[in-house]
Amino acid sequence: MPIYKAIIENKEIVKIIYALIIVFICFLITLKAHRLFRLSFHSGIRYFRNAFFFYGLGFAARYFLKFISADYFLINPLFEFFLVMAGFFLLYSLLWKRIDSHNPRSSLLNRRIGIFYLMAIIIILLDYVWNVPYFMYSAQIIIFLFASIISYSNYKKDNYKNKFSRFYFIAMVLGLFAWILNALAAVFFSWNQMVLINIYLLNAIFFLLFLYGVVKVTKT
Amino acid sequence: MVKKRERLEVIKDILKSIREKRNIKPTRLIYASNLSPKMFKEYVDELTGKQFLKEEIDKDGKKTFSLTSKGQEFLEQYRVIENFIENFGL
């Protein structure tokens, strides 16, 4: 297809534009969620904000750090760490009420989040030692599988009537699908360029859906 | 059984009472917020600490509460916050 050919031929520029868009979306979501957190001190909003803050950091590290440092062994673990932590924060924003009713002083440095940091570091170390990204992919697939189940149960709880619950569920399934495709691309398709473009597209839709939801809800 | 009020709803009720009555006295605010004195103190301490409301002394030397600009902003944004939490399942 000519569009795929054009993208592949200009992949470096496309990657930078893609990263700029994702980082910008994450920045907007983080800012809007932070504004609401500053007023409500609500833990769920706080973890949701942290998730997109870490997604933004991850994409910025992956695509922009290479202009400062070309060290793949520094950039890739950082990218993986931020992405795994973002996934944990997103999942925890849905779960925290069932696990932890108290509001910790810091949402970045507390005992429960410390467990996530430890798990993220273990995942990165395993990938680093074996020089594969499989542990991160497995972790993300598990995280998004749980998040999809929880968001479906929220959608069901609203008698399938809440448009936003449906959007949230669709976004989570897209996220899950993108990570499964990522794993398949690594294991079976030897990083086929066309498959990678589709993954980028799915990721962009995932972030755009969240931005749409956040802008729509915060619009007064 | 009556549903337990969520923390944010309690805060909204306290701040709304202050906005409606302006410099409201503690006894009237306890009554209006429908909380036990112990819970009321916890909430008022938290809201004062976070600068949503401030304590003042009126001309009779009695303690009153009034809303700060941050408390005002909370009330204006309450519906948005509530929708955000509900729609994203937080």
Side-chain angles (χ1 to χ4, degrees), chain A residues 35-36 38-42 44-45 48 93-94 96-97 154 162 164 168 210 213-214 217-218 220, chain B residues 6-8 11 46 50 52 70-71 73-74 76-77 79-90:
Chain A
R35 195 168 154 249
L36 294 184
R38 202 180 54 83
L39 285 172
S40 63
F41 295 94
H42 189 274
I45 298 179
F48 183 87
S93 75
L94 296 169
W96 73 276
K97 253 186 195 171
N154 288 341
N162 190 325
F164 274 95
Y168 200 96
F210 270 101
V214 170
V217 174
T218 54
T220 46
Chain B
E6 291 279 343
R7 187 184 145 270
L8 277 180
I11 292 173
E46 186 188 339
K50 287 172 179 165
F52 280 71
K70 203 172 169 187
E73 199 188 344
F74 175 88
E76 282 161 14
Q77 295 290 317
R79 188 59 60 192
V80 175
I81 295 166
E82 204 185 26
N83 281 341
F84 197 92
I85 293 164
E86 197 187 310
N87 288 323
F88 289 105
L90 311 175

Side-chain angles (χ1 to χ4, degrees), chain A residues 17-36:
Chain A
I17 295 169
Y18 164 75
L20 275 173
I21 293 169
I22 304 287
V23 171
F24 182 66
I25 291 173
C26 291
F27 174 72
L28 281 182
I29 296 175
T30 304
L31 213 66
K32 284 186 179 288
H34 179 68
R35 195 168 154 249
L36 294 184

Side-chain angles (χ1 to χ4, degrees), chain A residues 59-77:
Chain A
F59 279 89
R62 172 78 182 261
Y63 295 98
F64 305 134
L65 258 188
K66 65 180 172 194
F67 295 116
I68 308 165
S69 160
D71 193 353
Y72 174 82
F73 293 103
L74 169 76
I75 293 171
N76 220 44

Side-chain angles (χ1 to χ4, degrees), chain B:
Chain B
M1 204 173 119
V2 181
K3 195 181 158 227
K4 198 179 137 206
R5 276 187 300 171
E6 291 279 343
R7 187 184 145 270
L8 277 180
E9 207 182 338
V10 175
I11 292 173
K12 183 215 36 174
D13 290 344
I14 293 172
L15 297 180
K16 219 170 151 189
S17 301
I18 298 173
R19 185 172 69 180
E20 279 162 10
K21 305 275 190 317
R22 297 204 179 221
N23 297 310
I24 189 170
K25 291 190 173 71
T27 40
R28 287 203 69 178
L29 188 56
I30 293 176
Y31 182 73
S33 60
N34 199 17
L35 288 169
S36 69
K38 187 175 171 265
M39 289 297 287
F40 174 77
K41 193 182 175 315
E42 278 177 28
Y43 273 102
V44 164
D45 286 348
E46 186 188 339
L47 293 174
T48 313
K50 287 172 179 165
Q51 295 169 337
F52 280 71
L53 56 89
K54 59 182 177 203
E55 286 182 18
E56 286 169 339
I57 305 293
D58 69 5
K59 56 181 186 307
D60 301 324
K62 300 246 169 75
K63 192 160 87 172
T64 63
F65 294 108
S66 66
L67 221 55
T68 62
S69 56
K70 203 172 169 187
Q72 192 72 41
E73 199 188 344
F74 175 88
L75 285 177
E76 282 161 14
Q77 295 290 317
Y78 176 74
R79 188 59 60 192
V80 175
I81 295 166
E82 204 185 26
N83 281 341
F84 197 92
I85 293 164
E86 197 187 310
N87 288 323
F88 289 105
L90 311 175

Side-chain angles (χ1 to χ4, degrees), chain A:
Chain A
M1 273 169 82
I3 183 90
Y4 282 103
K5 202 173 162 233
I7 293 172
I8 292 165
E9 278 168 6
N10 301 291
K11 67 177 180 187
E12 287 311 311
I13 298 167
V14 172
K15 270 184 190 174
I16 291 168
I17 295 169
Y18 164 75
L20 275 173
I21 293 169
I22 304 287
V23 171
F24 182 66
I25 291 173
C26 291
F27 174 72
L28 281 182
I29 296 175
T30 304
L31 213 66
K32 284 186 179 288
H34 179 68
R35 195 168 154 249
L36 294 184
F37 168 68
R38 202 180 54 83
L39 285 172
S40 63
F41 295 94
H42 189 274
S43 291
I45 298 179
R46 200 183 204 187
Y47 294 125
F48 183 87
R49 175 203 65 186
N50 290 358
F52 286 90
F53 177 63
F54 274 76
Y55 275 128
L57 284 179
F59 279 89
R62 172 78 182 261
Y63 295 98
F64 305 134
L65 258 188
K66 65 180 172 194
F67 295 116
I68 308 165
S69 160
D71 193 353
Y72 174 82
F73 293 103
L74 169 76
I75 293 171
N76 220 44
L78 265 181
F79 172 65
E80 283 198 8
F81 174 77
F82 288 135
L83 242 57
V84 172
M85 281 309 295
F88 280 141
F89 274 123
L90 196 60
L91 182 64
Y92 200 59
S93 75
L94 296 169
L95 276 175
W96 73 276
K97 253 186 195 171
R98 302 163 207 229
I99 299 168
D100 189 3
S101 59
H102 91 286
N103 202 347
R105 197 172 280 272
S106 166
S107 63
L108 292 173
L109 297 167
N110 67 60
R111 228 182 303 165
R112 281 179 203 274
I113 300 304
I115 297 169
F116 292 147
Y117 283 127
L118 189 68
M119 284 164 73
I121 290 166
I122 292 170
I123 289 164
I124 291 152
L125 280 176
L126 290 170
D127 276 348
Y128 192 82
V129 170
W130 271 279
N131 199 20
V132 288
Y134 303 152
F135 292 97
M136 187 202 38
Y137 289 159
S138 310
Q140 296 287 9
I141 289 168
I142 293 166
I143 287 169
F144 275 89
L145 186 65
F146 274 113
S148 300
I149 293 167
I150 296 165
S151 56
Y152 179 75
S153 102
N154 288 341
Y155 178 41
K156 194 178 161 192
K157 205 168 68 188
D158 297 330
N159 293 321
Y160 305 102
K161 280 178 187 156
N162 190 325
K163 207 171 81 179
F164 274 95
S165 301
R166 192 174 65 214
F167 264 123
Y168 200 96
F169 172 59
I170 292 169
M172 288 304 175
V173 172
L174 273 180
L176 174 65
F177 195 61
W179 282 113
I180 292 173
L181 212 56
N182 248 314
L184 292 176
V187 179
F188 297 112
F189 302 120
S190 323
W191 301 111
N192 178 287
Q193 300 282 329
M194 287 206 359
V195 177
L196 285 181
I197 292 168
N198 288 323
I199 293 167
Y200 282 16
L201 197 66
L202 277 179
N203 275 336
I205 296 170
F206 171 80
F207 285 104
L208 280 169
L209 271 177
F210 270 101
L211 180 67
Y212 170 77
V214 170
V215 169
K216 188 99 176 153
V217 174
T218 54
K219 198 171 72 184
T220 46

